[in-house]
Amino acid sequence: MSQQAETALERELAHEQTHVDRVYRFLGLATESAREVASHGQALYQSDRTDYLRDDDSTALFERDAFSFQAAKRLATLDAEHDGLVFGRLDDHAGETRYIGRIGVRDDDYEPLVIDWRARAAEPFYRATSANPMDIVRRRVLRCRGDKVIGIEDDLLDASNDNNLAIIGEGALMASLRRARGHRMRDIVSTIQAEQDEAIRAPHSGFTFISGGPGTGKTVVALHRVAYLLYSNRARFERGGILVVGPSPVFMNYIDRVLPSLGEDSVTLRSVGAVASDVVDVRAVRIDAPDAAAVKGSLRMVAALRAIATTDPTEPEPIKVTVKGEVLSLPPQRLARLRASVLSRQRSNQAFPAARDAVVNALYQQLPAEYDLSPADFADLIDTERFARAVEAWWPVLEPRAVLARLSDRAYATRALGGILPAPEIATLRDSYAGITDPASFEWSVADAALLDELADILGPLPAEEPTLFLDRLADEHAVVTTADRLSRRTVETSLDDEPYETYAHVLVDEAQDITPMQWRMLRRRGGRASWTIVGDAAQSSWPDAAEAAAALDQLVGTAPRRDFTLTTNYRSPAEVFELAARVVRESYPEVHLPTAIRHTGVYPRLLISPAGEWRDDIAAHIVDIAGKVEGTVGVIAPPSRLHAVRRLAAEHLSQLGARLVIVTPLEAKGLEYDGVLVISPDDVAAESPGGVRVLYVALTRPTQLLVTLDIGRKGSWRRSLELPATDSA
């Protein structure tokens, strides 16, 4: 850089630092004001009552809680770690300047010092181009560390300007792409591109589909869309809630700081294996073998689950009563017909009163006429403890995990599912549940979570405990919890129409190409009246039956408004890496639409082979080599059959890499990125996944800098596509 350029940069940095200092000064004043308001709210009402509440006490507590909640919420926003609070600046033809940031900040005269990135006035920062500058002359990106401005990147959008604005840097986007990756996803709020911004600011109603290949920014665009929806329609989405669903806990940990960094915390994040945790205590992470996953994800399981929900594991005992010396009895066959009749009208866990009445009526029909008892008198006469125990044994409360665990029994599985599923699929299901002794402690799989949720819907809610209004139950609470909060979390089922599911006003589903038909049913229960953002890429799908999944999704969408956005530029993958991955996936799926990789590094993938007996030692050496060539994270992607050995090897010999080294399966790697990647045994990666080559494509597209593959024993068959003539991958 010339001395003149250095002087210009120093001058511009100092100018921007002056404005940033002013912003932080007013942010500090606003924070102190919010802290005073919060303290005042806590002092509004105090009571020494610990056993009961009068009506006027309840009103005062409610007002205090509402006041304190709003003040605390504002304080949390202002107190958040806004790294890079001010990140953008716009200079227009009129000579006016607008600064763009993560939250809005105003001065004493209520003039904006920073405009929230989601506001309409900030749109030109993302939409303006040299072809359509939107009256903007210069767009500037400020790179800050804490409250210090450490870099500037400018885009001159209108070269005909006569404002003599300094133009510095080589472009913010490309500069950010070269930075090393960490263990958390970074927001892209300062480098959003026009096609991404269009998807972010789309209307909230109906269904918004965001598709695109690896590295196009689908996930982070969708998360910015959530932040935008909360900003533009806060009352609707804060009250109704937003659910973000991702493929795995690893992925959810990776993205969990994006929304807070954008000023939003009021969102529920769940991996797909934990979505059903609101109705059944399961947060699954285990992945089934491909054959079991294919059966469990299919809509054929709906009929199978209804069958096991209505088929007793053992033949019930007859129900007998004695009335004035007359023995009345209902044999198993008659009880089976009664069960079917009751379940045709109500769900099992809500139908006990109806089932008991059906038994009483059936017994009454057997009573000889000469006894001259009315139905009510008869019911009172047989209402004994013994009779109650007999009916409860015949009609127990059914917990979804215990019902699904019935399939571990060979004879029962064949009896319940015969005629519904073919014998090989019944055997596959039975084997996947082998060894269950305690359903509550069994390690259920991600696919099982959707089955348990379906069973919860079939069986109905479990009985709930009664709430209490006595305050001594609140004495040990250490968080700010209102009386209304406590009662709302322990709702008692008062209607057959009540459901235990947590429902949301908006649902975001990431890696949607992997959602099975049964999982779509599970998600639909949480968003029956919601708007949706659905993000995915068919080329990366791990679900083998695309047609069945598409039909389940079409059923979810129905006639609702639908808009589709396709992201076409791969910002993550070096072109040299993406060309290899594209050739691999195109051989099996020639019709696939792939993005264009725009970044060249000059570093080509290294395709290595290790002797079968030496692969462990070779892996350690290759990992160390990759770590020496990239600054950030090193991802090792191993097939499930080799994962344990690789992790043990890393623990014994690679501890010096610390948190830089991450070892995952191909499915765990979905949505993630690393600076350098080692893919172990690509043939096994494809063979051990229901998605086959498409999952290998996922693994090959994780690196931002360097890709190394390691075949074991011989050259892998996956390389066949690389030996064919190249085709256009754009």
Side-chain angles (χ1 to χ4, degrees):
M1 181 184 296
S2 68
Q3 183 176 356
Q4 183 178 2
E6 287 182 2
T7 301
L9 174 60
E10 290 173 0
R11 183 178 64 250
E12 294 296 314
L13 284 173
H15 178 78
E16 301 300 359
Q17 185 65 59
T18 299
H19 184 80
V20 169
D21 289 343
R22 187 171 181 229
V23 169
Y24 273 95
R25 184 168 67 253
F26 278 97
L27 181 69
L29 293 174
T31 302
E32 188 58 36
S33 174
R35 188 170 286 113
E36 290 177 3
V37 171
S39 177
H40 176 64
Q42 287 295 327
L44 278 178
Y45 180 83
Q46 297 291 330
S47 174
D48 59 1
R49 298 182 185 277
T50 59
D51 55 349
Y52 70 95
L53 286 175
R54 299 180 309 209
D55 288 344
D56 56 343
D57 292 334
S58 299
T59 302
L61 280 173
F62 176 79
E63 291 175 351
R64 184 204 68 184
D65 289 339
F67 194 90
S68 296
F69 173 74
Q70 293 299 330
K73 184 174 162 186
R74 176 62 176 161
L75 183 59
T77 299
L78 295 172
D79 268 343
E81 294 182 12
H82 297 296
D83 188 25
L85 169 62
V86 186
F87 59 76
R89 169 177 166 166
L90 295 173
D91 295 279
D92 64 20
H93 277 283
E96 294 184 358
T97 297
R98 279 173 273 172
Y99 283 90
I100 314 299
R102 298 175 185 278
I103 60 173
V105 179
R106 295 178 181 270
D107 63 16
D108 288 336
D109 297 324
Y110 213 62
E111 291 296 320
L113 296 174
V114 184
I115 296 172
D116 191 298
W117 70 274
R118 294 161 289 193
R120 186 172 295 276
E123 283 193 41
F125 188 78
Y126 305 109
R127 299 287 184 93
T129 64
S130 56
N132 178 24
M134 300 176 71
D135 202 37
I136 301 300
V137 175
R138 181 182 68 181
R139 173 174 50 213
R140 168 167 287 179
V141 175
L142 310 180
R143 190 155 64 91
C144 298
R145 183 174 295 124
D147 59 356
K148 301 301 181 185
V149 182
I150 61 173
I152 296 173
E153 299 287 344
D154 288 335
D155 292 317
L156 180 63
L157 301 178
D158 190 345
S160 65
N161 84 92
D162 55 2
N163 291 348
N164 296 317
L165 295 173
I167 305 299
I168 293 174
E170 57 178 333
L173 174 62
M174 298 309 293
S176 71
L177 292 175
R178 284 196 297 271
R179 274 184 261 155
R181 266 49 178 180
H183 292 286
R184 297 288 180 86
M185 176 179 282
R186 295 196 305 254
D187 64 72
I188 59 167
V189 67
S190 63
T191 57
I192 292 171
Q193 302 301 292
E195 70 172 1
Q196 297 172 329
D197 190 65
E198 187 178 1
I200 289 170
R201 298 176 190 266
H204 74 264
S205 61
F207 288 75
T208 298
F209 286 82
I210 302 175
S211 62
T216 54
K218 301 182 299 297
T219 296
V220 72
V221 165
L223 293 173
H224 285 66
R225 172 168 170 75
V226 167
Y228 174 75
L229 292 177
L230 282 163
Y231 176 84
S232 60
N233 204 333
R234 186 166 298 280
R236 171 185 175 86
F237 292 115
E238 271 201 342
R239 182 175 62 250
I242 294 181
L243 173 65
V244 176
V245 179
S248 68
V250 174
F251 177 83
M252 304 315 289
N253 289 336
Y254 181 59
I255 70 172
D256 71 349
R257 292 308 305 165
V258 173
L259 286 168
S261 75
L262 299 174
E264 299 297 348
D265 283 309
S266 52
V267 176
T268 300
L269 277 68
R270 284 189 184 150
S271 65
V272 69
V275 168
S277 60
D278 52 2
V279 295
V280 61
D281 187 17
V282 168
R283 292 167 179 80
V285 296
R286 181 172 63 85
I287 302 297
D288 283 298
D291 56 346
V295 178
K296 293 179 180 182
S298 171
L299 290 177
R300 298 189 301 277
M301 287 302 300
V302 176
L305 294 172
R306 291 189 182 279
I308 65 172
T310 56
T311 304
D312 287 324
T314 58
E315 186 173 80
E317 293 291 328
I319 294 179
K320 299 179 181 180
V321 297
T322 302
V323 178
K324 297 184 178 181
E326 190 77 27
V327 178
L328 310 177
S329 177
L330 295 176
Q333 297 83 355
R334 175 63 173 147
L335 289 173
R337 291 195 297 272
L338 287 178
R339 178 182 293 278
S341 176
V342 172
L343 291 179
S344 68
R345 303 186 301 275
Q346 297 183 33
R347 295 185 292 180
S348 179
N349 286 338
Q350 296 167 309
F352 180 78
R356 181 186 57 215
D357 292 346
V359 169
V360 171
N361 184 60
L363 291 169
Y364 180 73
Q365 299 302 320
Q366 298 180 18
L367 186 69
E370 61 266 21
Y371 285 99
D372 193 26
L373 283 174
S374 69
D377 290 338
F378 177 78
D380 290 340
L381 188 63
I382 67 171
D383 188 15
T384 64
E385 183 178 350
R386 180 179 179 182
F387 174 74
R389 286 202 303 268
V391 176
E392 289 170 359
W394 171 63
W395 202 280
V397 172
L398 297 178
E399 202 275 334
R401 289 172 296 182
V403 173
L404 191 57
R406 293 173 178 177
L407 292 180
S408 62
D409 181 86
R410 179 188 300 269
Y412 174 84
T414 302
R415 175 164 58 92
L417 302 183
I420 297 175
L421 297 178
E425 291 189 352
I426 295 174
T428 296
L429 283 175
R430 186 188 66 236
D431 292 345
S432 74
Y433 300 122
I436 295 181
T437 56
D438 178 14
S441 61
F442 181 69
E443 186 185 5
W444 300 98
S445 71
V446 172
D448 289 330
L451 304 188
L452 293 169
D453 191 70
E454 189 77 28
L455 276 172
D457 187 59
I458 293 170
L459 299 171
L462 297 171
E465 59 180 311
E466 294 289 339
T468 178
L469 288 174
F470 290 109
L471 292 183
D472 59 334
R473 293 290 299 275
L474 306 181
D476 293 332
E477 292 291 345
H478 298 294
V480 177
V481 181
T482 67
T483 302
D485 289 333
R486 292 286 295 191
L487 297 184
S488 66
R489 294 174 192 168
R490 306 173 67 240
T491 301
V492 176
E493 298 296 329
T494 57
S495 166
L496 295 180
D497 296 327
D498 289 344
E499 297 292 353
Y501 310 107
E502 295 175 0
T503 58
Y504 299 86
H506 190 84
V507 180
L508 163 61
V509 182
D510 200 1
E511 301 294 342
Q513 74 278 350
D514 295 333
I515 300 296
T516 70
M518 291 301 295
Q519 288 168 344
W520 280 123
R521 290 174 63 88
M522 173 180 68
L523 292 170
R524 184 173 62 184
R525 297 186 185 100
R526 276 79 189 170
R529 297 182 180 179
S531 53
W532 294 67
T533 299
I534 297 177
V535 184
D537 175 22
Q540 300 182 63
S541 175
S542 62
W543 174 248
D545 192 339
E548 187 182 24
L553 184 54
D554 287 342
Q555 186 179 19
L556 171 65
V557 175
T559 59
R562 171 175 178 152
R563 59 197 68 85
D564 293 88
F565 297 91
T566 301
L567 306 181
T568 58
T569 303
N570 180 343
Y571 300 103
R572 175 206 300 146
S573 306
E576 296 83 357
V577 170
F578 192 68
E579 180 186 0
L580 178 145
R583 294 184 69 174
V584 170
V585 76
R586 275 191 181 279
E587 184 192 13
S588 299
Y589 303 95
E591 74 287 353
V592 69
H593 297 287
L594 301 178
T596 301
I598 62 171
R599 190 165 55 91
H600 294 264
T601 63
V603 179
Y604 288 87
R606 297 168 58 203
L607 312 184
L608 307 176
I609 303 174
S610 177
E614 301 175 13
W615 67 274
R616 290 175 177 81
D617 293 336
D618 286 351
I619 284 175
H622 294 317
I623 292 173
V624 170
D625 182 61
I626 294 171
K629 291 177 175 166
V630 299
E631 293 182 6
T633 54
V634 177
V636 177
I637 302 177
S641 61
R642 299 184 188 271
L643 185 67
H644 179 69
V646 174
R647 285 180 171 166
R648 186 174 63 242
L649 173 73
E652 293 174 354
H653 302 292
L654 299 171
S655 59
Q656 72 275 16
L657 295 180
R660 288 186 64 197
L661 178 62
V662 182
I663 302 170
V664 292
T665 66
L667 293 181
E668 289 174 335
K670 278 181 174 284
L672 308 182
E673 58 184 30
Y674 310 98
D675 289 288
V677 169
L678 173 64
V679 179
I680 298 172
S681 188
D683 279 350
D684 290 335
V685 166
E688 295 178 24
S689 166
V693 170
R694 289 176 297 189
V695 175
L696 175 57
Y697 172 63
V698 171
L700 296 174
T701 54
R702 296 309 94 190
T704 66
Q705 300 295 333
L706 174 63
L707 171 66
V708 178
T709 68
L710 183 66
D711 292 312
I712 296 175
R714 58 180 176 78
K715 183 168 70 173
S717 61
W718 71 278
R719 296 197 197 183
R720 181 176 59 251
S721 59
L722 307 180
E723 298 165 357
L724 300 173
T727 58
D728 183 12
S729 62

